[in-house]
Amino acid sequence: MFPVATPSALTPTLSQGEREKHETRSTCPYCGVGCGVIIEAEGAQITGVRGDPDHPANFGRLCTKGSTLHLTASAAITRQTRLLQPLRRSARRAAPEAIGWDAALDLAADKFTQVIRDHGPGAVGFYVSGQLLTEDYYVFNKLAKGLVGTNNIDTNSRLCMSSAVAGYKKTLGADAPPACYDDLKHAECLFIVGSNTAWAHPILYRRIEDAKAADPALKIIVADPRRTDTCEIADLHLALQPGTDVMLFNGMLHLMLWEGWTDARYIAAHTSGFDALKATVRDCTPDRVAQVCGIAKEDLLQAARLFATSAATLSLYCQGLNQSSSGTAKNAALINLHLATAQIGKPGAGPFSLTGQPNAMGGREVGGLANLLSAHRDLANPQHRAEVAALWGVPEVPFKPGKTAVEMFQAAADGEIRALWIACTNPAQSMPDQGTVRRALERCEFVVVQEAFSTTATCDFADLLLPASTWGEKQGTVTNSERRISRVRPAVPAPGEARDDWAIGVAFARRLESRLGRTATLFPYASAESVWNEHRESTRGRDLDITGMSYAMLEAAPQQWPLREGEATGRARLYEDGVFSTPDGRARFADTPYAPVAEAREARYPFSLNTGRLRDQWHGMSRTGTLGRLFGHAAEPTVQLHPQDMARRQLAEGDLVHVTSRRGSIVLPVAASTELGLSQAFIAMHWGGEYLSGCSSTGERLAGVNALTTSRFCPDSKQPELKHAAVKVLKAELPWSLLAAAWLPQEASLDVAAALRALMPSFPFASCVPFGAGGSLAGGGPERAGILFRAAAYEVPPDAVMTQIERLLALGGPDALRYVDARRGQRRTVRLVREGAEARLDGFLLGGDTSAEAWIKTLLQDRLPAQAYGRQLLRPGAAAPAGVATRGKIVCGCFGVTQTAITGKLAAVAGSADDRLAALQGALKCGTNCGSCLPELKRMVRAGAAPALAPVS
């Protein structure tokens, strides 16, 4: 456990004005939609959040994640999860000890100086994050390339957006999305590819729903191997085989050429390279495309016709294209379609890449990747290097390409990189091929982790931990998917000794300067604004020129780039004049031959593993994972398979299975899903070692989904193929199982979860997750939080382990009822608490036979009266009592509405689908707040037959 700061450290001294209630406009820290939020605070405590009605990204709407931001910033959660003071480990795996800021920064500077002098600048690396602010990014980029003299700085945006960057540059000449959110209102055809927009960008999906409602003639095509919630609004779903997107796009272009649907005049006037592409797509006949992609020729023709002949076609795409060994080709092949049909540079048209993280765009703007320089300059361009060197006042910027994310950790594992600085990201969860990543972190001589949350897996490998501020405490800017720059403003002081990321970077850089013999500082910044002003100057004359912006202008309203000096507003759309950011002004068709996935399915590994987002979670869940209510929709880790694949393998819902790739193997429950095609598997990207773990027969600890994924990457973008790995799925014969859950005081629940996670490697399979009671946005019992621990083993674990679990879940006291049959491996413990005239279940442990979990979990989570079930609670295999129905998953997270409640209501409602949905919303409120559950509600309405109307007498 990490040292705990004193309560006074969480309560800074405040003036009378600061103690009063106040509101602050800022930006959501989750996805790239860039929603504006209004933070409500009282003194040093954030107390509420709501959407900013004046922000042009969301106009007041928020998704389930955004609308619960304030709950993640409560004092109870802050005390248990935040890194509140600098910490140092005297040895790896030792408990970290508190250290002062000066001593911590001196230590870091000494260590980095030693490595640089002994092994050269290339022996250090910086791995940063698309969740940093632009000012933070700028400082670290300058620190690495300008001071240290290494291009070994990369970001988790490499896992997210680098293929989109490479695709734009290869075709349009610059990393500049040409469309905007307002284009949704003008489009006549939407082509959504490799994006579950309904879950990954929920507020943008609300705008898609609005556009469809305003214009029912709007045609929507979704290309995705899974039938996700995004498909609910589609007129056509192309369920292509994983990784075959280039073949699909080339096949569409083949048909467009055959049918005369391309725009020869636009191609001749504004593009180059079309002849080479025509030769490539000549062989992409409908028969071949249908065979490779697994779609009907008729559907291919319909998609090509709608795309090419609509007055305005807008493409939306995300990680399904980016996270691929052919990621750049996929992006470029899609852009080829827009160029060939002149579907660009006009309202409602264009290739629109959806940014994954809140400021991946800002990081690209400042050149915070191993192959980039400030303001979209290229590291390989000598003139660009000279321009940046002159701006920074250094002799030169190093020309040697830096290590990208995968390469950086491979180099650390090989001993080439000896010091790593990791800021605001969790590579021990998010990087592919976790075996290599963890070897890198263990072998690296000195690892600094600059982080807001002490609970991330990467913190376990740090020699030095530096506490950073986070949402609600930071000052700076971010850029969203539509090139719109918004202000991020602090509503409260940072807790404990946490500091802003840019300020930590500057303090370290100044110490490093003195040790490296530099007399004049490169980092004269006194505020985030002073950093931003230098970044602004670096953009002068570039495609993203923002010299017409200022912090004062951004105070008034967010602005889109480019916005040059002397201009009053930015540009909503790019390339309206047909002039592109290439030397000759012409867009370039990319010759994109089809290549299969890096790791094909075969007899030994017959499943294609796909990874993706859950509706209510974000990345590694360091923030969303603190709220039990956000686990209602997807309560625990699972691997999804098609029901036919499960039947062939004699697998039942909830059975434990080994999922194994060439790199690792994990155990988790299986769940049936008709969203998937045959021979496909899906595991959510969020499940890392913080929530899912186990231990192999050799004692090796296994960690999360990325123990399976491959580090093979696109040769152009260096983005790894996180979207596909070949795996096998075999039933896990683990005869003994355990389920334990309890309500705990909120101020202790996450500490208990951390202690339980320390026990997870004791089992071949274990998971530990929060749960909530649901209820309204304001309800759900804020003083209590639920923790659920599930495990399985080959034999009954030692009694000491079971006793420890009971103790942690407050099941070890005299008020607990217990049944133990050691010979049969059965153990039952329950705790009942009196609430008025009723006794309610407050916690339970089922060891051995866990078949009663469904009804016992319902008693616990719904806080139902339980005094009548005493003996049944303790009896192995007891059937569900009358009147205790399985609650089902929570569909509406805002109001805690369960699947059971919805189906029950629908059974009594007649009328059209719209009438039934309206009745459902009127009675249960589901889908009336953030709208994230609307696609699922509509599917349930359509799937459930309406009751017959009573005959009229």
Side-chain angles (χ1 to χ4, degrees):
M1 298 294 291
F2 289 89
V4 175
T6 61
S8 61
L10 301 178
T11 313
T13 303
L14 302 169
S15 67
Q16 179 60 40
E18 289 175 317
R19 294 191 192 99
E20 296 173 354
K21 294 181 179 179
H22 57 278
E23 294 185 341
T24 305
R25 278 187 158 84
S26 192
T27 311
C28 179
Y30 292 129
C31 76
V33 173
C35 295
V37 296
I38 297 176
I39 306 172
E40 303 162 10
E42 186 169 355
Q45 184 59 58
I46 292 173
T47 56
V49 68
R50 66 183 189 276
D52 184 349
D54 297 324
H55 197 289
N58 61 314
F59 298 108
R61 287 170 161 168
L62 289 178
C63 70
T64 52
K65 299 182 293 291
S67 60
T68 53
L69 269 168
H70 61 296
L71 301 178
T72 70
S74 70
I77 287 175
T78 295
R79 189 198 66 77
Q80 295 174 87
T81 64
R82 291 291 299 276
L83 191 59
L84 297 169
Q85 54 196 327
L87 301 172
R88 176 190 181 183
R89 282 191 174 91
S90 57
R92 289 285 167 87
R93 304 299 179 188
E97 299 175 348
I99 185 175
W101 264 111
D102 287 339
L105 292 169
D106 285 340
L107 172 65
D110 289 342
K111 291 285 189 179
F112 270 68
T113 300
Q114 176 193 334
V115 170
I116 292 166
R117 285 179 174 163
D118 292 349
H119 306 284
V124 303
F126 297 86
Y127 187 59
V128 297
S129 168
Q131 294 170 70
L132 289 173
L133 305 188
T134 300
E135 295 78 0
D136 306 325
Y137 247 127
Y138 187 88
V139 166
F140 275 100
N141 192 45
K142 189 177 184 181
L143 165 60
K145 297 170 182 171
L147 174 59
V148 175
T150 180
N151 291 313
N152 289 343
I153 177 168
D154 215 48
T155 163
N156 59 20
S157 298
R158 180 71 61 183
L159 313 182
C160 162
M161 298 307 300
S162 53
S163 293
V165 173
Y168 276 138
K169 291 176 68 176
K170 195 167 192 173
T171 54
L172 309 183
D175 174 23
C180 63
Y181 297 159
D182 197 57
D183 281 320
L184 292 169
K185 295 192 302 187
H186 303 286
E188 293 193 10
C189 175
L190 276 182
F191 191 38
I192 304 174
V193 194
S195 169
N196 185 9
T197 317
W199 285 13
H201 299 90
I203 299 307
L204 195 64
Y205 190 75
R206 302 284 83 75
R207 294 174 76 145
I208 295 172
E209 291 173 325
D210 291 344
K212 183 73 169 177
D215 179 14
L218 169 66
K219 297 300 182 184
I220 300 177
I221 308 165
V222 175
D224 196 306
R226 294 194 299 146
R227 185 171 184 84
T228 66
D229 268 14
T230 302
C231 299
E232 291 306 304
I233 204 169
D235 299 284
L236 174 63
H237 174 214
L238 302 173
L240 73 170
Q241 286 294 304
T244 61
D245 307 81
V246 169
M247 180 60 75
L248 170 67
F249 303 149
N250 286 354
M252 290 171 65
L253 183 55
H254 176 103
L255 284 170
M256 292 173 188
L257 287 164
W258 182 265
E259 298 291 342
W261 291 334
T262 57
D263 191 321
R265 182 178 301 176
Y266 187 90
I267 292 169
H270 301 292
T271 73
S272 63
F274 192 50
D275 288 342
L277 178 60
K278 281 201 300 185
T280 294
V281 304
R282 185 178 296 123
D283 295 331
C284 299
T285 63
D287 284 334
R288 186 182 176 206
V289 173
Q291 181 182 23
V292 171
C293 296
I295 61 174
K297 289 186 289 184
E298 295 77 13
D299 290 344
L300 175 68
L301 178 62
Q302 184 183 3
R305 178 179 57 79
L306 288 173
F307 188 106
T309 64
S310 295
T313 295
L314 182 69
S315 293
L316 304 175
Y317 50 100
C318 199
Q319 305 312 340
L321 298 194
N322 297 343
Q323 291 177 335
S324 168
S325 55
S326 301
T328 303
K330 289 180 179 180
N331 276 263
L334 177 58
I335 296 170
N336 286 341
L337 297 182
H338 284 272
L339 295 174
T341 55
Q343 295 284 9
I344 190 171
K346 60 184 180 181
F352 194 4
S353 164
L354 301 181
T355 309
Q357 296 188 85
N359 200 34
M361 184 83 76
R364 289 141 61 184
E365 291 164 8
V366 305
L369 289 165
N371 58 314
L372 299 180
L373 289 172
S374 297
H376 289 176
R377 292 178 174 89
D378 283 320
L379 181 67
N381 187 316
Q383 180 181 342
H384 288 181
R385 293 199 304 273
E387 290 170 358
V388 173
L391 175 72
W392 286 348
V394 297
E396 62 180 2
V397 172
F399 67 89
K400 182 180 178 182
K403 304 289 188 188
T404 61
V406 170
E407 296 168 324
M408 188 180 298
F409 284 91
Q410 289 174 340
D414 293 341
E416 181 182 349
I417 287 182
R418 297 168 179 263
L420 268 175
W421 192 296
I422 299 167
C424 192
T425 187
N426 187 18
Q429 185 272 339
S430 60
M431 288 283 292
D433 187 7
Q434 278 292 302
T436 298
V437 172
R438 290 173 179 240
R439 281 195 301 275
L441 293 170
E442 289 167 350
R443 183 171 185 184
C444 197
E445 293 176 14
F446 190 64
V447 177
V448 179
V449 173
Q450 178 175 320
E451 178 59 77
F453 295 94
S454 65
T455 50
T456 69
T458 308
C459 288
D460 293 342
F461 297 89
D463 298 291
L464 185 65
L465 289 146
L466 302 178
S469 59
T470 185
W471 176 83
E473 305 153 9
K474 300 190 72 166
Q475 177 90 258
T477 58
V478 293
T479 309
N480 73 356
S481 294
E482 62 169 352
R483 297 172 281 105
R484 190 179 298 278
I485 299 175
S486 296
R487 283 295 313 280
V488 173
R489 301 176 180 88
V492 296
E497 299 178 39
R499 295 183 178 181
D500 289 346
D501 289 284
W502 72 267
I504 297 172
V506 166
F508 169 69
R510 289 176 180 171
R511 284 168 167 80
L512 196 59
E513 283 177 321
S514 66
R515 287 161 174 79
L516 295 177
R518 184 176 182 89
T519 54
T521 185
L522 297 176
F523 303 87
Y525 315 119
S527 65
E529 183 177 5
S530 63
V531 178
W532 188 84
N533 287 339
E534 184 174 308
H535 158 58
R536 176 182 62 186
E537 183 57 33
S538 79
T539 70
R540 187 176 295 277
R542 302 291 299 165
D543 67 291
L544 70 162
D545 193 323
I546 59 170
T547 51
M549 290 188 200
S550 65
Y551 257 36
M553 177 183 283
L554 295 173
E555 277 298 329
Q559 299 291 337
Q560 287 176 283
W561 60 255
L563 200 162
R564 300 174 178 87
E565 190 171 20
E567 296 176 343
T569 58
R571 191 178 303 171
R573 296 175 189 88
L574 305 181
Y575 313 128
E576 291 172 294
D577 56 1
V579 178
F580 294 87
S581 299
T582 56
D584 61 2
R586 288 174 172 266
R588 296 170 295 210
F589 282 99
D591 188 5
T592 52
Y594 166 70
V597 292
E599 190 174 80
R601 291 188 302 236
E602 42 102 345
R604 292 172 301 165
Y605 298 94
F607 285 92
S608 290
L609 173 65
N610 185 6
T611 66
R613 296 190 185 277
L614 296 175
R615 190 190 73 187
D616 299 338
Q617 299 293 354
W618 173 252
H619 276 38
M621 302 195 288
S622 55
R623 185 188 299 276
T624 55
T626 62
L627 298 180
R629 66 182 303 129
L630 293 181
F631 287 78
H633 190 249
E636 299 178 59
T638 63
V639 55
Q640 294 180 0
L641 299 178
H642 192 280
Q644 289 183 31
D645 283 321
M646 289 177 59
R648 288 193 190 104
R649 287 158 179 78
Q650 298 183 323
L651 296 172
E653 186 87 11
D655 281 352
L656 291 175
V657 294
H658 296 279
V659 184
T660 305
S661 74
R662 291 174 174 85
R663 289 153 299 281
S665 182
I666 62 174
V667 178
L668 71 175
V670 66
S673 173
T674 54
E675 292 179 356
L676 297 167
L678 294 173
S679 300
Q680 295 180 30
F682 176 82
I683 303 175
M685 60 173 280
H686 315 283
W687 301 119
E690 297 91 330
Y691 301 93
L692 173 69
S693 187
C695 189
S696 68
S697 57
T698 60
E700 178 189 7
R701 183 174 178 180
L702 307 173
V705 61
N706 284 318
L708 308 173
T709 51
T710 177
S711 57
R712 298 278 292 277
F713 53 67
C714 170
D716 293 319
S717 68
K718 305 292 182 76
Q719 182 160 357
E721 191 157 74
L722 286 162
K723 279 290 180 184
H724 188 272
V727 299
K728 58 185 173 184
V729 180
L730 301 173
K731 188 170 184 178
E733 300 296 343
L734 297 170
W736 188 88
S737 59
L738 167 73
L739 177 67
W743 290 109
L744 299 165
Q746 190 182 70
E747 62 270 15
S749 63
L750 296 174
D751 284 340
V752 169
L756 286 168
R757 284 169 188 147
L759 298 174
M760 289 201 297
S762 303
F763 301 90
F765 159 75
S767 66
C768 184
V769 295
F771 65 86
S776 69
L777 284 168
E783 74 289 348
R784 305 283 277 171
I787 297 295
L788 183 146
F789 184 84
R790 189 185 295 275
Y794 296 103
E795 56 188 22
V796 182
D799 189 67
V801 173
M802 299 298 293
T803 300
Q804 175 76 340
I805 294 170
E806 287 180 340
R807 184 187 65 79
L808 288 169
L809 293 174
L811 296 171
D815 58 341
L817 303 176
R818 186 173 288 104
Y819 164 83
V820 178
D821 184 339
R823 186 171 62 87
R824 292 182 170 86
Q826 300 296 325
R827 190 180 186 115
R828 296 286 185 281
T829 309
V830 299
R831 184 180 74 248
L832 298 172
V833 294
R834 180 67 61 182
E835 291 184 5
E838 306 284 1
R840 303 187 189 277
L841 187 62
D842 216 36
F844 68 87
L845 180 148
L846 308 178
D849 182 348
T850 58
S851 59
E853 76 163 85
W855 67 269
I856 293 182
K857 275 176 62 181
T858 299
L859 281 181
L860 181 75
Q861 288 188 257
D862 289 356
R863 298 175 178 176
L864 300 176
Q867 65 268 24
Y869 311 129
R871 292 191 177 186
Q872 286 171 286
L873 291 170
L874 293 174
R875 188 168 69 244
V884 182
T886 302
R887 72 201 312 259
K889 72 173 183 179
I890 290 178
V891 175
C892 175
C894 294
F895 297 105
V897 184
T898 66
Q899 201 171 32
T900 303
I902 292 167
T903 53
K905 183 64 182 176
L906 286 175
V909 178
S912 68
D914 288 344
D915 291 340
R916 301 179 76 210
L917 178 63
L920 191 65
Q921 292 180 297
L924 302 178
K925 295 187 178 180
C926 47
T928 61
N929 187 59
C930 78
S932 295
C933 63
L934 277 173
E936 189 167 357
L937 290 176
K938 292 175 181 177
R939 184 167 63 249
M940 294 177 74
V941 167
R942 288 199 303 272
L949 295 173
V952 178
S953 56

